[in-house]
Amino acid sequence: EGLDQELTQNFKKTGVSHVLAVSGLHVGLLVLLLNVAFKKLPIPYGLQFVILMTVLLFYLAFTGGQASTVRAVLMFGILQASYFFNRAKEPKTAYLLTLFLLLLYNPFYLYDIGFLLSFLSVGAILFLRPFLLAGKPKYVQLIGLTVIIQVVLLPVFSLFFHYFSLAAVLGNLWIVPAVSYFLGIGSVALLFSGVSTVLAQILAGSGYYSAQIAMGAAELLAKLPFSEVPIRAMQPLEVILFYAIILAALLSRRKKLLWGLLFALIIFIPYTIKPQLGMLNVGQAES
């Protein structure tokens, strides 16, 4: 609520507004920091698990229990608990189990935009990345994964936002790492503030410049003419067809089926160059 409106719009136009919301990204950073601390301490795994889940559950309650955060905490808990059942960590299994449990608890999560964005993004990472980008150079995987996630989220953008950001690939490659560093180093600075104010200020200062880079990049990309393209909302059958093509390609292991998505985009997502406003003249006023 304290963020500048122009900054919020810049992040929205460049397709990185998700970094401004409490989400799985923040949970992942919190887990990373705690795991780094645990490596320096002789703490048995069982106690580590209890401490981690206690912190995460507190964080979940503290931030209001948003669907995307619930997904991240539950999925992480399932992955870590596999150790106690002598099971290997299987992210895909944990993902599907988390999806099942959350929908069993509240089927109306299907109408929650945070739930949809979170699960579709993680699903693209777990299932489409190895299918489409296995064996590719790292820079190709990084760019390709960003493109894949944006395409997978296209129906959600059309239904809830009615726009698609063509600058999202550049935004996610540039802004997200800067914001991630800012969040991580800010958390470390907060921890060190109780020990050394000077050290905390040095750490927080580097985070400040990282945030400035992110805001500058968002402002620059938002000014590009193709940063935000208006699109119409997809119909229910169109959304089903869109994801059916992806599922069919995954199950049959045939990448060529994904060309059907291009056809679906051309047919079902016509771009609107200029929005129009219709006014009804009723004699005494306009409505």
Side-chain angles (χ1 to χ4, degrees):
E1 293 178 357
L3 291 175
D4 181 73
Q5 185 65 28
E6 183 180 356
L7 172 65
T8 305
Q9 287 299 316
N10 289 340
F11 273 64
K12 172 177 170 287
K13 288 182 179 180
T14 51
V16 292
S17 55
H18 57 88
V19 301
L20 300 179
V22 178
S23 62
L25 171 66
H26 302 76
V27 174
L29 288 171
L30 185 58
V31 170
L32 179 64
L33 291 172
L34 289 171
N35 280 332
V36 170
F38 286 147
K39 288 181 179 179
K40 307 295 182 181
L41 302 171
I43 301 176
Y45 184 84
L47 183 56
Q48 289 184 26
F49 177 79
V50 171
I51 295 174
L52 270 172
M53 293 310 300
T54 301
V55 172
L56 290 181
L57 290 173
F58 172 79
Y59 181 78
L60 181 63
F62 181 74
T63 54
Q66 300 297 318
S68 57
T69 317
V70 174
R71 190 275 312 161
V73 172
L74 181 57
M75 187 173 170
F76 173 77
I78 292 172
L79 280 172
Q80 294 300 104
S82 61
Y83 171 84
F84 300 105
F85 299 95
N86 294 320
R87 300 273 186 175
K89 291 182 179 179
E90 298 180 359
K92 293 180 180 179
T93 303
Y95 170 86
L96 294 173
L97 181 57
T98 302
L99 177 62
F100 172 76
L101 291 175
L102 287 182
L103 289 179
L104 186 66
Y105 169 72
N106 183 5
F108 289 98
Y109 270 145
L110 284 174
Y111 297 94
D112 186 289
I113 186 172
F115 177 89
L116 294 174
L117 291 175
S118 181
F119 268 98
L120 288 173
S121 299
V122 175
I125 294 171
L126 291 178
F127 294 96
L128 288 175
R129 181 176 65 174
F131 175 53
L132 296 175
L133 302 175
K136 304 291 183 182
K138 287 187 176 181
Y139 71 92
V140 174
Q141 290 196 27
L142 185 61
I143 297 173
L145 180 60
T146 306
V147 173
I148 288 170
I149 291 175
Q150 293 303 310
V151 172
V152 168
L153 294 178
L154 181 59
V156 180
F157 293 144
S158 79
L159 292 172
F160 289 91
F161 303 120
H162 310 297
Y163 80 92
F164 184 73
S165 175
L166 297 180
V169 174
L170 293 174
N172 279 276
L173 291 176
W174 189 354
I175 298 172
V176 173
V179 173
S180 298
Y181 176 79
F182 164 72
L183 291 171
I185 205 68
S187 301
V188 174
L190 183 62
L191 293 174
F192 274 97
S193 63
V195 179
S196 171
T197 306
V198 175
L199 180 58
Q201 288 177 335
I202 293 173
L203 293 172
S206 66
Y208 168 79
Y209 289 110
S210 176
Q212 291 297 312
I213 290 173
M215 290 187 290
E219 183 178 1
L220 177 64
L221 292 174
K223 292 179 180 178
L224 296 176
F226 54 82
S227 64
E228 191 177 47
V229 179
I231 56 176
R232 72 169 176 84
M234 296 177 72
Q235 299 298 315
L237 288 178
E238 295 168 1
V239 174
I240 292 172
L241 175 61
F242 186 92
Y243 289 118
I245 293 173
I246 297 178
L247 184 60
L250 282 171
L251 294 177
S252 64
R253 312 303 295 177
R254 295 173 61 185
K255 297 179 183 179
K256 291 183 179 180
L257 282 176
L258 294 178
W259 285 104
L261 283 183
L262 180 60
F263 174 76
L265 296 181
I266 294 173
I267 298 299
F268 297 128
I269 310 292
Y271 298 120
T272 304
I273 303 301
K274 292 183 179 179
Q276 296 181 343
L277 175 65
M279 303 293 289
L280 300 179
N281 185 351
V282 294
Q284 297 178 337
E286 292 180 328
S287 61

